[in-house]
Amino acid sequence: TDAAYASQTTYGDNTTDAAYASQTTYGDNTTDAYASQTTCDDDGEEKARQEVKSSKHKEHMGELGSLAAGGYALYERHEAKKDPEHAGRHKLEEEVAAAAAVGAGGYAFHEHHQKEDAEQGEKKHHFF
């Protein structure tokens, strides 16, 4: 191969590449001619921002789960009236779906409070 376009891949401490300085290293000392480094002045700020984003996403998933389980419970209630031969089974499935909806709603409520705590930057647990 031509030495001008050669690149080197190593799994050690230090690597020096050819003319275009493209290197892939997995070790202690990595230097790349075109590397860009993204730094955040305050790591706590970035962590809080990520936690807010994560909690918001989980809150929305809890809301969607509650909505889906509630809709299924209503469907099973309709099926219990429509199909009297299997009404007992449909009533049981309605109760299970309703319990799942309440659980998902509680999870969404919990994540909403986690998001608020992260927005304030505080980690307080109010037990009483």
Side-chain angles (χ1 to χ4, degrees):
T1 64
D2 190 11
Y5 296 103
S7 69
Q8 187 177 24
T9 302
T10 62
Y11 300 94
D13 293 334
N14 193 0
T15 338
T16 308
D17 287 344
Y20 290 104
S22 68
Q23 76 183 90
T24 306
T25 60
Y26 302 97
D28 298 327
N29 188 7
T30 57
T31 308
D32 194 357
Y34 301 105
S36 65
Q37 185 176 5
T38 304
T39 60
C40 185
D41 294 338
D42 188 10
D43 288 336
E45 215 174 272
E46 179 66 25
K47 191 173 183 179
R49 201 175 9 240
Q50 287 293 331
E51 188 170 342
V52 167
K53 184 178 177 182
S54 174
S55 292
K56 185 176 181 181
H57 178 73
K58 290 177 183 178
E59 179 185 356
H60 287 303
M61 289 298 111
E63 290 170 352
L64 287 174
S66 180
L67 181 67
Y72 186 70
L74 289 175
Y75 167 75
E76 285 298 327
R77 177 179 287 176
H78 171 72
E79 286 295 312
K81 290 178 184 176
K82 184 177 161 184
D83 185 15
E85 186 177 332
H86 300 105
R89 175 177 178 236
H90 292 297
K91 286 181 182 179
L92 178 66
E93 289 183 3
E94 175 194 352
E95 291 293 324
V96 170
V102 170
Y107 178 72
F109 184 73
H110 166 75
E111 286 299 326
H112 176 75
H113 284 285
Q114 289 290 95
K115 181 182 73 170
E116 285 180 348
D117 287 346
E119 285 173 348
Q120 294 174 359
E122 300 174 352
K123 286 293 183 182
K124 294 182 180 177
H125 293 284
H126 301 286
F127 294 111
F128 299 103

